[in-house]
Amino acid sequence: MVSGMHTIDPVEVLGLAGMILVFLSFIVKDWRWLYGFNMSGAILLTLYAYLRGDPIFTIVEAGIVVFLAYRLAGELRRTREN
C-alpha cells in the first residue's frame, strides 16, 4: 500500500448512506415518501450497527424500522380507502 493512501471502509459507506436517507426524509413533504426514505435509512443503519457489533444500536434501529413499516402500511391503507 502506498504511504498516505486510505482505503474506504464499505461498512462506513453503508452507515453514511443510511444517514443521508434519514436526513433526506426530513425535507420530503409527502408522508409516504418520508416514511419510505426514513425506513430505508433505518434499514441501512441497522445493518451498519449489526456489522459494527453494537447490539443496542441494532435493536433500536430495528425497532424504528418496524415502527415505520407499521406507519407506512397504515398510510397506504388510508390512501387506498379514500
Side-chain angles (χ1 to χ4, degrees), residues 9-25:
D9 186 7
V11 177
E12 295 296 325
V13 172
L14 185 69
L16 178 63
M19 290 300 293
I20 288 171
L21 284 172
V22 168
F23 287 126
L24 180 66
S25 73

Side-chain angles (χ1 to χ4, degrees), residues 39-55:
M39 189 170 52
S40 300
I43 289 170
L44 292 178
L45 288 173
T46 303
L47 291 172
Y48 170 78
Y50 177 75
L51 293 173
R52 284 288 170 217
D54 188 347

Side-chain angles (χ1 to χ4, degrees), residues 32-77:
R32 288 172 295 187
W33 284 102
L34 183 143
Y35 291 140
F37 281 133
N38 208 327
M39 189 170 52
S40 300
I43 289 170
L44 292 178
L45 288 173
T46 303
L47 291 172
Y48 170 78
Y50 177 75
L51 293 173
R52 284 288 170 217
D54 188 347
I56 302 298
F57 187 43
T58 303
I59 292 168
V60 168
E61 284 297 323
I64 291 171
V65 170
V66 170
F67 172 73
L68 289 170
Y70 174 76
R71 294 292 302 257
L72 181 61
E75 186 69 29
L76 291 175
R77 229 177 286 120

